[in-house]
Amino acid sequence: MLKVKNGDLDKLGLLYERHKKRLFGFFYNLGNNPSVSEDLVQNVFVRILKYRQSYVGDGLFAAWMYRMARNVNYDYHKKVAKQQISHGVSPEDVKSETEDLLNEDEEMEGNRDLLKKALAMLSDEKRELLVLSKYREMKFAEIAEIFGCTEGAAKVRVHRAIKELRTIFSQLEIR
């Protein structure tokens, strides 16, 4: 990224190839459909190019990139809401790769569906925290950098998100 910052724009293609799948998974796991997820990945790299001078290089590039990805996702949904376009994503429509969070036993099939529904019912921030910590297996220090908080605060937020997910999951399980 430092080379991109210094004018070697060809290196942006290399960064794109390295990170496009993880970013796509990030957006997809947040409940965006595949075509929107692809568009949002493109938007992240457009912003990386536009704001390349703001990259300092102190922290991890991935943390800087995911912070930008969060902003792109927020801006997209804000724009959609402002345009009053109903994209009606119901919990049943959310296709999340939560299989990594659950055991692969066949008896867990029903629980996967409940987990997908429960994840869809969380706030965007809590869902982002769980996707980054459990699915992307990011360290709390990296999550803290993305969310602009301390490592301790990141741990607490993830813990609270898991606790809320557990509560929602239990309520869905009873139904």
Side-chain angles (χ1 to χ4, degrees):
M1 183 58 205
L2 290 174
K3 289 182 180 180
V4 172
K5 179 181 178 177
N6 293 328
D8 189 359
L9 301 183
D10 292 337
K11 299 296 182 194
L12 188 62
L14 181 62
L15 287 174
Y16 177 79
E17 291 301 320
R18 278 189 194 157
H19 298 285
K20 69 179 178 182
K21 287 181 183 176
R22 291 190 312 189
L23 275 175
F24 176 84
F26 173 72
F27 289 124
Y28 188 72
N29 285 322
L30 291 177
N32 295 302
N33 68 42
S35 63
V36 169
S37 296
E38 288 174 13
D39 289 344
L40 295 177
V41 169
Q42 297 286 330
N43 290 348
V44 168
F45 282 94
V46 167
R47 283 199 188 178
I48 287 173
L49 183 61
K50 183 177 180 180
Y51 297 110
R52 67 184 180 270
Q53 294 304 321
S54 70
Y55 181 70
V56 180
D58 290 343
L60 294 173
F61 168 73
W64 184 75
M65 178 184 70
Y66 277 109
R67 181 177 294 161
M68 200 165 289
R70 288 184 69 227
N71 292 337
V72 165
N73 190 57
Y74 174 78
D75 290 347
Y76 168 76
H77 290 287
K78 185 176 162 185
K79 178 182 170 187
V80 167
K82 189 179 259 187
Q83 293 174 347
Q84 297 178 349
I85 296 174
S86 173
H87 61 302
V89 179
S90 68
E92 294 80 23
D93 295 335
V94 175
K95 296 175 184 162
S96 174
E97 295 182 22
T98 57
E99 288 80 12
D100 289 345
L101 299 173
L102 296 172
N103 197 343
E104 289 297 326
D105 293 335
E106 291 177 10
E107 64 193 39
M108 299 298 285
E109 199 63 40
N111 286 341
R112 278 193 200 102
D113 293 336
L114 286 178
L115 183 59
K116 289 177 186 179
K117 289 178 185 177
L119 276 169
M121 296 171 82
L122 288 174
S123 69
D124 290 342
E125 182 175 318
K126 289 179 180 174
R127 192 168 43 251
E128 287 172 355
L129 284 164
L130 291 177
V131 167
L132 291 173
S133 68
K134 301 301 176 196
Y135 181 71
R136 295 285 164 224
E137 298 178 352
M138 291 183 111
K139 296 178 181 168
F140 289 114
E142 295 170 316
I143 293 170
E145 192 173 336
I146 292 168
F147 282 81
C149 63
T150 65
E151 187 173 343
K155 287 179 184 179
V156 169
R157 289 180 184 182
V158 169
H159 174 73
R160 288 179 182 163
I162 290 171
K163 188 175 178 181
E164 185 175 335
L165 180 65
R166 224 180 257 135
T167 302
I168 294 170
F169 183 84
S170 296
Q171 290 171 350
L172 290 173
E173 203 171 36
I174 293 171
R175 292 179 190 171

